[in-house]
Amino acid sequence: RIEWHDRRQGVAAGDHGLALLVGAARIVTAHLHGVADRVPDREQIYDLMVRYGRCVDTGDREELIRTCYTDDVVVQYDSWGSEGRPLVGTDEFSRFWGDGPLSWDSTHQFTNFTFEIGENEGAYTCLGLATHWPRDVDNSSGVVPVYTVGLRYDNHVRRTGAGWRIARQHNV
């Protein structure tokens, strides 16, 4: 059954199992074997990763820890920084980031998300492309050291009272 709402004409209904979005004025709802129930969680988890990238790119460690991680988070960078040693908890993570990575400017972009979402826990994988350069470099010569990293994030998330948070972050 399709239901769509048109701001000008009210509600119309059909007999098909798929929902179609027709024009900006119509809002469509669908119930496809529980998929609709998970769309909001999926979007929240996607937004979590976008928020992570924004916090890293702006150097906002407090916002990163407060809005992206559980208190008992385990973060593991296989290819950079901690040489594959897990950082356990937000205190250890904060010390690690305070010693260097946030002294670089960066832009993070994420793509190719896959999700497995349960009631209160889930996992997602995505690919990332991050470009980094020193924050306080004298670029008057036009030469700025830049490095770009391609990586995969294999993350586990947990629903908290404040929303979805990363409980385990593994960068490969």
Side-chain angles (χ1 to χ4, degrees):
R1 181 169 173 90
I2 298 176
E3 281 190 15
W4 53 272
H5 303 265
D6 187 308
R7 288 186 214 151
R8 295 167 299 187
Q9 299 173 6
V11 176
D15 294 321
H16 303 289
L18 298 176
L20 303 173
L21 178 59
V22 183
R26 295 180 181 165
I27 302 169
V28 179
T29 60
H31 299 285
L32 303 171
H33 306 291
V35 172
D37 297 337
R38 293 290 163 223
V39 172
D41 288 338
R42 184 175 180 236
E43 289 175 11
Q44 289 176 37
I45 294 167
Y46 176 85
D47 289 348
L48 168 64
M49 194 62 185
V50 171
R51 191 168 57 247
Y52 163 86
R54 186 190 70 239
C55 289
V56 172
D57 291 344
T58 60
D60 193 340
R61 180 177 50 220
E62 288 77 23
E63 183 78 359
L64 176 66
I65 290 170
R66 187 179 64 77
T67 68
C68 296
Y69 291 124
T70 61
D71 291 338
D72 61 345
V73 66
V74 176
V75 179
Q76 185 171 351
Y77 300 103
D78 280 356
S79 58
W80 178 71
S82 64
E83 281 67 39
R85 182 184 60 81
L87 305 167
V88 180
T90 55
D91 289 342
E92 186 174 0
F93 175 81
S94 183
R95 281 191 300 277
F96 169 77
W97 276 86
D99 290 340
L102 291 180
S103 64
W104 290 75
D105 279 325
S106 61
T107 59
H108 284 73
Q109 301 166 20
F110 308 108
T111 187
N112 295 20
F113 282 79
T114 59
F115 300 88
E116 293 181 26
I117 304 170
E119 186 65 31
N120 292 312
E121 294 189 13
Y124 67 93
T125 296
C126 67
L127 301 179
L129 185 63
T131 303
H132 303 81
W133 60 94
R135 178 165 289 146
D136 297 320
V137 68
D138 175 11
N139 62 3
S140 61
S141 69
V143 177
V144 176
V146 173
Y147 73 96
T148 300
V149 177
L151 67 154
R152 185 181 75 234
Y153 292 84
D154 293 325
N155 292 352
H156 293 261
V157 291
R158 185 180 316 136
R159 186 189 310 271
T160 70
W164 288 97
R165 297 294 184 263
I166 300 169
R168 179 166 177 83
Q169 179 177 324
H170 187 192
N171 296 12
V172 180

